[in-house]
C-alpha cells in the first residue's frame, strides 16, 4: 500500500535518511522506533515532501508520490498527526475539526463529526472551547480527530505519546488499536515509547542514524535482547 524504496533525504549537508526501504500493507499497524535524532520524523515528513527524497522513491497505491505537492498527497488518502500535535490553538475544537475535513466530501461532515465525538466524547463537551486551552491529552485527541475527518486510507502518527501523562499514553495506544481493529484503518506509527508501540504493532522497524537496522513483528522485537537493552528497559513501566 505504502512503500519507501531506497529513500535518501538531506537537510542541507546532513544526510538524514540513508537508503531506507520499508513497506506498509493494507490493514496493518507498522511501527518505526528509534532514539532521538535517528531520522524517524524525517522519514514521516519526507512522505509529504518536507524534505523531499533526494534519491529513491515513495509509492502509495502503486503511484510514485516522491515529487508530488503536499496538498495532492493529502488528497490521495494520507493523513498525518504531526509531532507536537500542531493544533490551531486560537481556533475552537469544532473549527479544528472543520480544518481536517478540507479534502473530504462536505456531505460526510456531519457523520464524520459524530464518529469523532463517539470516539472522543470530551471533544463534544469542549466543542466551542479554544483548542489551546485543552489539556495535552485532549489536544492529542483533537489532533487525531482532525486527521480522521479526512477519511484517511493511511493514518500517520508522529510521536503521539510525546509529553503525555501515563494515563493519556495508555488511552492513545488503546485508540490506535481500536482504529485499526474496529475501523480497519492502516496505521504507520513513529514512536519513541517502544514498549507501547511494539505491543500494538503487526510489524516494526528499528531506525538508527537514518538506516533501518532491524525489522520483525512487534512481538519479535519486544522479545529481542538488543531492542530491550536499547529501547525498552528505561520505559518498561511507562
Amino acid at each position: 500500500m505504502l512503500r519507501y524504496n531506497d529513500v535518501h533525504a538531506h537537510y542541507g549537508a546532513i544526510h538524514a535518511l540513508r537508503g531506507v526501504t520499508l513497506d506498509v500493507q493494507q490493514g496493518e499497524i507498522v511501527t518505526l522506533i528509534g532514539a532521538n535524532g535517528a531520522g524517524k520524523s524525517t522519514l514521516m515528513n519526507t512522505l509529504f515532501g518536507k524534505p523531499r527524497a533526494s534519491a529513491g522513491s515513495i509509492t502509495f497505491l502503486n503511484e510514485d508520490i516522491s515529487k508530488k505537492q503536499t496538498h495532492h498527497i493529502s488528497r490521495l488518502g494520507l493523513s498525518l498527526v504531526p509531532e507536537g500535535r500542531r493544533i490551531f490553538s486560537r481556533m475552537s475544537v469544532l473549527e479544528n475539526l472543520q480544518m481536517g475535513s478540507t479534502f473530504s466530501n462536505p456531505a460526510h461532515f456531519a457523520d464524520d463529526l459524530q464518529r469523532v465525538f463517539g470516539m472522543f466524547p470530551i471533544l463534544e463537551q469542549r466543542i466551542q472551547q479554544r483548542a489551546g486551552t485543552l489539556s495535552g491529552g485532549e489536544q492529542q485527541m483533537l489532533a487525531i480527530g482532525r486527521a480522521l475527518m479526512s477519511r484517511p486510507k493511511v493514518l500517520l502518527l508522529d510521536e503521539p505519546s510525546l509529553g503525555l501523562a501515563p494515563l493519556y499514553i495508555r488511552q492513545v495506544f488503546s485508540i490506535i488499536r481500536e482504529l485499526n481493529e474496529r475501523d480497519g484503518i492502516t496505521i504507520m506509527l513513529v514512536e519513541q515509547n517502544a514498549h507501547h508501540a511494539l505491543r500494538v504493532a503487526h510489524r516494526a522497524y528499528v531506525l538508527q542514524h537514518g538506516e533501518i537496522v532491524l525489522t520483525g513483528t512487534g512481538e519479535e522485537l519486544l522479545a529481542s535482547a538488543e531492542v530491550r537493552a536499547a529501547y525498552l528497559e528505561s520505559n518498561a513501566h511507562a
Side-chain angles (χ1 to χ4, degrees), residues 157-175:
L157 297 152
D158 191 355
E159 303 282 8
S161 76
L162 187 67
L164 299 186
L167 176 64
Y168 277 119
I169 291 175
R170 289 191 290 272
Q171 191 171 357
V172 164
F173 280 99
S174 176
I175 289 163

Side-chain angles (χ1 to χ4, degrees), residues 199-230:
R199 286 178 65 188
V200 301
H202 296 102
R203 291 187 302 111
Y205 296 86
V206 178
L207 192 67
Q208 288 182 3
H209 308 298
E211 299 181 78
I212 299 292
V213 297
L214 197 61
T215 185
T217 66
E219 290 181 354
E220 287 169 347
L221 294 194
L222 270 174
S224 162
E226 180 182 353
V227 170
R228 294 191 67 83

